[in-house]
Amino acid sequence: QAIPLELRINNDTFHIRHIQHPQAAHVSEPTQKLAIHYRFMFNVVFNELQHSHAIILEDDMIFSHDFLEYFAATVSLLNDARNELFCISSWNDYGASFLEH
């Protein structure tokens, strides 16, 4: 079930949903479970809910204070038809608290 939440940053409104995926009890192999989970999630987000963009998170992530602002500032890159950009990531192997601003 998707639980809706609306968030406003500057003049932009973001619609946030938490989607719970029931686990497939008959599958024991971890890679297969993950593939089933991603298929479920992408199907719900892009096919059922008809979203054109999504921020995919895990439940144990820790975010910087400007996490959502980062995506709000970069979404125009995804919307630019001249750009062949597929996704924007905030993952940084070298991320450290002293680099925050």
Side-chain angles (χ1 to χ4, degrees), residues 41-76:
M41 180 210 37
F42 286 129
N43 182 57
V44 169
V45 170
F46 296 113
N47 295 330
E48 291 179 24
L49 298 173
Q50 296 288 302
H51 290 294
S52 60
H53 300 79
I55 298 174
I56 309 301
L57 308 173
E58 294 180 25
D59 61 353
D60 61 348
M61 296 176 131
I62 300 171
F63 306 102
S64 67
H65 66 280
D66 60 349
F67 173 78
L68 290 175
E69 291 174 293
Y70 169 78
F71 286 104
T74 57
V75 71
S76 63

Side-chain angles (χ1 to χ4, degrees), residues 1 20 22 29 46 55 60 98:
Q1 178 179 356
Q20 185 71 31
E29 205 277 313
F46 296 113
I55 298 174
D60 61 348
F98 72 88

Side-chain angles (χ1 to χ4, degrees), residues 75-88:
V75 71
S76 63
L77 298 172
L78 288 173
N79 294 337
D80 187 343
R82 299 167 298 165
N83 196 340
E84 295 181 357
L85 192 62
F86 174 71
C87 73
I88 295 172

